[in-house]
Amino acid sequence: MAIKVGDSLPSAMMHDGSPGTKVDLKEIFAGKKGVLFGVPGAYTPTCTSAHVPSYVNVTAEQWKEKGVEVVVCMAVNDAFVFSAWAGTFGETSVKFLADPCSEATKAMGLAFDAPPLLEALGNPRCKRFVMGLDDGKVVGLNISGEDGKTDEHTFATAALEFF
C-alpha cells in the first residue's frame, strides 16, 4: 500500500553522492518542511527534460517563501549515475539521493514495475511522485497515474501548492 497524506516517512537509507555516504531519509525531513519527489530514473527523457528542471528552476528563495527548507529528488539508481546526472543540472538547491536497492521506494509503496517500464529500464523503479512534508509527515501527495494525476501534477508547481 502506498504512503498517503497523514503518514510519516519511513526510515530508509539513501546514498548521497556515493555508496559510502548514507543518510536516513526520515532524518533529512525531521523538524523541517520539505519536498520529496521521485523520478523513474536518471537520464530518462521526461525526468531530464521536464520533471527535474521544474524543481531546479525554482530558486531557494522561492522555496523559503513557502517555508520549505529542503527539496530532495530520489530515484532507484546507483549513487554514481545519480550523482553524475545531478551534475548536469548545475548549481541547485535540490538534493539528489539514490535509492539503489529500492529500500525507500518499497517502504513507501511507490515501486513502479509495469511491463513496458521493465522492458525499457530492466528493473522496478520509483513511481513519479511529489510529496509535501512537515516534520516528516506527509501533508500533500501526488502520484502520476493515480487518482487522475498526470506527470505534470508531480512537478514543482504542484509542490509549491502544498504549502
Side-chain angles (χ1 to χ4, degrees):
M1 178 176 218
I3 196 167
K4 63 188 179 308
V5 172
D7 289 348
S8 293
L9 272 183
S11 180
M13 297 312 289
M14 308 287 285
H15 293 189
D16 187 0
S18 74
T21 308
K22 295 180 182 179
V23 294
D24 187 332
L25 186 63
K26 185 174 186 168
E27 288 179 18
I28 291 169
F29 292 97
K32 299 176 185 160
K33 283 189 180 179
V35 171
L36 174 64
F37 70 101
V39 298
Y43 296 103
T44 56
T46 301
C47 303
T48 302
S49 67
H51 198 177
V52 172
S54 79
Y55 286 87
V56 170
N57 292 331
V58 176
T59 67
E61 291 75 32
Q62 288 171 300
W63 289 116
K64 284 180 186 174
E65 286 174 12
K66 294 288 189 169
V68 174
E69 300 167 79
V70 62
V71 179
V72 173
C73 175
M74 65 171 280
V76 176
N77 275 114
D78 67 82
F80 301 115
V81 168
F82 208 53
S83 182
W85 183 56
T88 68
F89 296 103
E91 197 67 32
T92 177
S93 60
V94 176
K95 185 170 196 61
F96 289 78
L97 298 177
D99 186 21
C101 297
S102 303
E103 181 182 342
T105 300
K106 289 176 183 175
M108 293 186 290
L110 294 172
F112 186 34
D113 60 0
L117 177 103
L118 292 175
E119 191 174 306
L121 299 178
N123 61 303
R125 299 298 181 108
C126 182
K127 290 181 179 181
R128 188 179 307 281
F129 75 90
V130 61
M131 64 178 71
L133 297 154
D134 189 354
D135 192 22
K137 187 173 182 177
V138 181
V139 297
L141 175 65
N142 291 339
I143 303 170
S144 182
E146 297 186 13
D147 299 323
K149 304 295 186 200
T150 64
D151 288 353
E152 290 77 16
H153 289 103
T154 66
F155 290 6
T157 51
L160 287 165
E161 292 175 11
F162 291 149
F163 303 97

